[in-house]
Amino acid sequence: MSDVRPAAPRVASVAVTTPPYRHRQEGIAAVFAEAFLGADASVRRKFVGLAARSGIKYRHLSLPLGEYRKPRDLTAYNRTWVTTASQVGQQVLTRALQTAEVSPGEVGAIVTTTTTGASVPSFDAGLVQQVGLPRHVIRMPLFGLGCAGGAAGLARVHDYLRGHPDQVAVLVSVELCSLNFQCAGTSVDNLVATGLFGDGGARRAPRRRPGAAGRRTGADRHPQLPAPGHRTSDGHAPGDRGDSRSSWPRTSRTPRRNTCPARCPGCLADRAVEEVRQAERDARRAARRPVGGRNLDH
């Protein structure tokens, strides 16, 4: 059996888009602390202290800050999610296609992933019409995978490109975490999530590298992982920026490099899960630190 196969897909472009409402972290903490129903003063202090020590300066949210003071049920929040996800998804997909110099008509498959909202049909159906993708484009909506959604989406893109090596496939992820605010939940997990996560969307467009086939390498065996030396459309390696355009704010003072060895099968999903777990550990440690001489746990 020949050990020669087509070259691995390459990432033609990466783009990130956020909703227009940008709020400072201290303002967000004050509003959401007030919005927690039935919470006593100690819980509110714990949440404000946790948010203050997160290292986050601002976040993008789907609504003006004052709107989060108003009680809303799941139906109302999800209605906002449908509208905002459509807008964010269209913007990020259009921007990335333009950067990659790829026309919408060249896209053969679109994979979408989200955990924070739902619609029927899924929001990728609207993107097909809004962006002008082909009517016969293959749609693969993923839901409920949480932090592993990006890794699973890349795997599905890889599967498609193995069978269609001359085409373009896109991955669009939209997470609007603020629209899942649980005003009656005061568990540590809910306090951490409310104090850390923002809203936004990201898009990646892998495509097969042109040229002759080559010998199998670690990157070819796991082409869903970035190949060694991979750069984004603006010349940066993934995770190099250290800026605040990501929809998932950093929580450590030293930016983490989101790089991954090419011969590390499955580690992309593991890394995503570990990043969230580390953020939760950081937030819990922050909540235990004294504020004004008092421990937040008491």
Side-chain angles (χ1 to χ4, degrees):
M1 182 176 178
S2 174
D3 197 36
V4 176
R5 62 183 296 179
R10 67 182 178 89
V11 176
S13 68
V14 175
V16 174
T17 299
T18 55
Y21 302 107
R22 183 186 184 212
H23 309 293
R24 294 194 63 84
Q25 176 75 334
E26 56 266 29
I28 295 174
V31 169
F32 279 92
E34 177 186 334
F36 277 116
L37 301 178
D40 57 27
S42 64
V43 171
R44 298 180 194 275
R45 287 197 303 269
K46 180 185 293 186
F47 172 73
V48 172
L50 183 154
R53 287 182 169 83
S54 65
I56 300 168
K57 293 183 178 180
Y58 65 87
R59 286 186 275 166
H60 288 85
L61 304 183
S62 298
L63 293 170
L65 198 52
E67 292 294 315
Y68 291 95
R69 292 189 175 96
K70 302 176 182 178
R72 280 183 171 84
D73 58 18
L74 177 61
T75 300
Y77 270 128
N78 197 70
R79 189 179 299 116
T80 302
W81 183 93
V82 170
T83 302
T84 307
S86 175
Q87 296 170 349
V88 171
Q90 179 183 3
Q91 292 170 6
V92 73
L93 181 52
T94 301
R95 179 179 301 176
L97 288 175
Q98 291 174 346
T99 300
E101 298 182 346
V102 173
S103 70
E106 296 180 70
V107 177
I110 176 172
V111 180
T112 55
T113 177
T114 188
T115 302
T116 52
S119 64
V120 179
S122 51
F123 78 97
D124 58 328
L127 296 181
V128 173
Q129 297 181 352
Q130 294 162 1
V131 181
L133 302 184
R135 295 181 61 183
H136 59 270
V137 67
I138 302 298
R139 295 169 44 217
M140 289 178 273
L142 306 179
F143 175 77
L145 298 178
C147 299
L154 284 174
R156 300 291 74 76
V157 167
H158 163 233
D159 291 343
Y160 179 82
L161 291 177
R162 286 184 63 185
H164 305 81
D166 298 325
Q167 294 192 16
V168 177
V170 297
L171 169 64
V172 179
S173 174
V174 175
E175 299 293 358
L176 307 177
C177 303
S178 71
L179 300 181
N180 283 262
F181 173 56
Q182 301 174 37
C183 61
T186 57
S187 66
V188 172
D189 289 345
N190 190 40
L191 295 180
V192 169
T194 305
L196 297 183
F197 296 147
D199 300 352
R203 182 268 194 187
R204 175 174 288 190
R207 65 191 305 175
R208 281 287 184 187
R209 291 184 182 276
R215 184 168 298 277
R216 294 179 70 175
T217 66
D220 293 326
R221 295 189 190 99
H222 308 288
Q224 69 270 29
L225 305 180
H230 160 67
R231 318 297 289 182
T232 62
S233 58
D234 58 1
H236 290 81
D240 274 352
R241 299 176 184 275
D243 64 16
S244 54
R245 282 184 281 177
S246 171
S247 61
W248 303 99
R250 300 185 186 278
T251 58
S252 62
R253 294 182 179 178
T254 303
R256 299 186 181 95
R257 290 182 59 85
N258 298 323
T259 56
C260 183
R263 288 180 290 276
C264 179
C267 66
L268 189 60
D270 294 340
R271 174 67 62 84
V273 173
E274 179 55 31
E275 285 286 328
V276 174
R277 289 176 178 170
Q278 182 61 48
E280 292 177 344
R281 289 193 291 267
D282 291 346
R284 289 191 178 99
R285 282 196 294 268
R288 289 195 293 269
R289 294 173 190 165
V291 174
R294 297 185 61 184
N295 190 300
L296 290 175
D297 285 336
H298 301 289

